[in-house]
Amino acid sequence: MTDLPILISGGGIGGLAAALGLANKGHAVTVLEQASSLGEIGAGIQIGPNAFHALDRLGVGPAARAKAVYVDALVLMDALSDEQVCAIPLDEPFRQRFGNPYAVIHRADLHGVLVDGCRAHERVTLRTGARVAGYDQDGAGVAARLADGERVKGQALIGADGLHSPVRAQVVGDGAPVVSGHTTYRSVIPTAMMPEALRWNGATLWAGPKCHIVHYPLQGWKVFNLVATVQNNATEAVAGEPVPTELVRQSFAHLAPRPQSIIHAAESWKRWVLCDREPQERWIDGRVALLGDAAHPMLQYMAQGACMAMEDAVCLAETVATAAGDIDAGLEAYRERRLPRTTRLQLSSRAMGEYVYHPDGARRLARNAWLKAKSATDFFDSVEWLYGVRGMAV
Ligand SMILES: Cc1cc2nc3c(=O)[nH]c(=O)nc-3n(C[C@H](O)[C@H](O)[C@H](O)COP(=O)(O)OP(=O)(O)OC[C@H]3O[C@@H](n4cnc5c(N)ncnc54)[C@H](O)[C@@H]3O)c2cc1C
């Protein structure tokens, strides 16, 4: 059975990172991606120093660094009063402390770096138009069942097929994701359309009551990435649906003029209704394991979903290699190492939304006072577990 490849359902950031990590350790890997071509929707993504540690371990750190924009600070603005609440500097002291920078990057660029890494690897086979419907297994191996009836055999199957993972449906069976009721509108605009006074080299968060706006430059400052979120009790999971410009403008009409001017700068928006899941311990079923959003989907408020998927990949490659042929032991060691950290992020992401991004009234004033009192060192200390190499659990 060891001649068989390790199968990966899903060719997103997590699946490709896992393919690369496993192939680097000498395994043959087959990625089964449902889409007819490999690609990423959406635009910008923030990646912390922990993601660069992971990319380095996968051997593609320099390629990713070349595509990133290095922001100077994480800035929190109060979107009602238009005052700066805090700015966490990301310059040399931050880089020295965490051993890597904080950056923003276009998703397609990050995904492209991983695609190129996989394509250059003779042990990785990338199959598109291959939609996994489920799996069967016996003591010796596993077969991925594709939607067209084909069965693909492997020594193990990694479910890296995202929020609505069919592999998770079989491993865990916990139904549909939890719909948060938060709707995110995303747009990308040429830098010339961004209000001039707001062309900051920072990842900027305008926090309003039950809503927020994020913006940062991307792709060598050619464009600005805009993400605007509102708690509107949406009940259905939606991903990438176009919405009327006027609807977005109305949703943020209660904010101060400057944050509103960001919303008015964009003409076309797409909508996502955010979902996550309750953390749970079951990630493994025999020779099948979950990874990335399939294992631990989280709200975006810690900007860590993709970072965690890449860390998972590094860890999985390491534990499977260390288990030296005992794949069951390798998968179990991976689960044990990754579960506490990713659970903490799922829960922290919800808490960040409630206590930092969206508080209203007295809670808003408490947030401002709490964050204004913090020094840069206080902020660095509070994210040591997340960005520091020792906390990574890989
Ligand atoms: C608005 C927003 C902002 C975000 N910002 C950040 C951020 O700043 N930083 C960060 O780190 N993370 C961020 N995230 C989270 C990040 O996007 C996800 O955590 C990450 O994309 C998960 O990667 P994945 O590979 O696990 O899953 P996905 O990206 O969902 O990839 C899954 C892949 O599997 C494929 N697939 C699905 N079903 C099947 C099937 N049946 N058979 C075969 N293939 C299948 C899909 O086509 C896809 O290619 C954000 C998310 C959102 C919604």
Side-chain angles (χ1 to χ4, degrees):
M1 292 306 291
T2 47
D3 289 344
L4 291 173
I6 296 178
L7 308 175
I8 298 180
S9 175
I13 289 168
L16 294 182
L20 204 47
L22 289 163
N24 285 341
K25 299 286 184 189
H27 295 278
V29 184
T30 299
V31 178
L32 304 165
E33 165 58 44
Q34 66 176 0
S36 54
S37 62
L38 289 166
E40 269 281 318
I41 57 163
I45 196 167
Q46 305 185 42
I47 51 175
N50 57 318
F52 284 106
H53 300 323
L55 287 160
D56 282 336
R57 295 273 293 272
L58 295 169
V60 291
R65 278 190 189 82
K67 302 275 185 187
V69 170
Y70 298 96
V71 281
D72 295 332
L74 299 175
V75 182
L76 175 64
M77 302 292 296
D78 185 312
L80 286 184
S81 63
D82 192 355
E83 62 173 331
Q84 181 177 301
V85 178
C86 62
I88 305 174
L90 302 172
D91 52 0
E92 214 37 46
F94 177 94
R95 292 177 187 198
Q96 291 221 340
R97 167 105 184 227
F98 299 113
N100 252 314
Y102 192 101
V104 292
I105 188 167
H106 199 288
R107 274 167 190 273
D109 288 341
L110 177 58
H111 188 258
V113 162
L114 295 167
V115 172
D116 290 347
C118 286
R119 285 203 172 123
H121 219 301
E122 59 181 12
R123 285 189 280 272
V124 180
T125 304
L126 299 173
R127 284 189 55 181
T128 51
R131 179 195 261 281
V132 174
Y135 62 84
D136 305 304
Q137 61 180 325
D138 54 29
V142 57
R145 269 187 280 111
L146 303 193
D148 64 6
E150 185 186 343
R151 286 162 57 83
V152 185
K153 286 191 180 169
Q155 54 172 311
L157 169 66
I158 309 303
D161 37 15
L163 181 65
H164 302 280
S165 163
V167 177
R168 181 189 177 104
Q170 205 169 331
V171 172
V172 188
D174 58 349
V178 177
V179 181
S180 65
H182 302 193
T183 298
T184 283
Y185 305 104
R186 289 154 112 180
S187 188
V188 178
I189 56 172
T191 295
M193 285 170 66
M194 184 71 179
E196 203 170 344
L198 295 175
R199 288 180 208 161
W200 300 338
N201 188 32
T204 306
L205 162 65
W206 295 81
K210 294 197 167 28
C211 70
H212 73 270
I213 301 168
V214 170
H215 56 82
Y216 48 79
L218 271 185
Q219 295 191 306
W221 275 77
K222 285 200 208 75
V223 296
F224 260 76
N225 190 55
L226 309 183
V227 183
T229 301
V230 59
Q231 273 180 239
N232 59 357
N233 302 320
T235 53
E236 275 180 40
V238 171
E241 185 182 271
V243 278
T245 310
E246 201 43 46
L247 173 80
V248 185
R249 292 185 177 174
Q250 280 164 12
S251 303
F252 297 89
H254 57 302
L255 300 184
R258 278 214 299 179
Q260 275 203 62
S261 72
I262 302 162
I263 299 294
H264 283 259
E267 289 296 336
S268 79
W269 294 91
K270 285 186 178 161
R271 159 166 65 189
W272 276 256
V273 173
L274 305 176
C275 299
D276 66 0
R277 289 181 184 271
E278 291 302 323
Q280 58 79 42
E281 291 176 87
R282 189 169 158 81
W283 288 16
I284 312 271
D285 173 22
R287 293 285 180 92
V288 182
L290 303 175
L291 181 144
D293 275 7
H296 44 68
M298 56 190 73
L299 300 181
Q300 79 223 31
Y301 302 136
M302 293 289 287
Q304 278 288 324
C307 301
M308 285 302 113
M310 292 187 282
E311 283 191 11
D312 286 352
V314 172
C315 180
L316 178 72
E318 206 59 54
T319 56
V320 168
T322 306
D326 184 351
I327 196 124
D328 303 69
L331 297 183
E332 181 51 28
Y334 154 76
R335 185 194 77 93
E336 277 176 20
R337 255 191 237 179
R338 296 300 300 158
L339 186 70
R341 179 167 168 85
T342 54
T343 297
R344 182 170 177 182
L345 273 155
Q346 285 178 287
L347 299 176
S348 304
S349 298
R350 287 181 180 175
M352 277 289 277
E354 184 171 352
Y355 297 112
V356 175
Y357 282 64
H358 293 166
D360 194 3
R363 287 167 177 245
R364 162 181 163 247
L365 300 175
R367 174 205 57 206
N368 290 359
W370 165 53
L371 293 178
K372 274 181 186 169
K374 278 179 176 273
S375 67
T377 310
D378 294 336
F379 282 117
F380 294 178
D381 289 347
S382 68
V383 289
E384 176 68 45
W385 69 277
L386 180 55
Y387 297 150
V389 181
R390 273 176 300 135
M392 273 178 73
V394 297

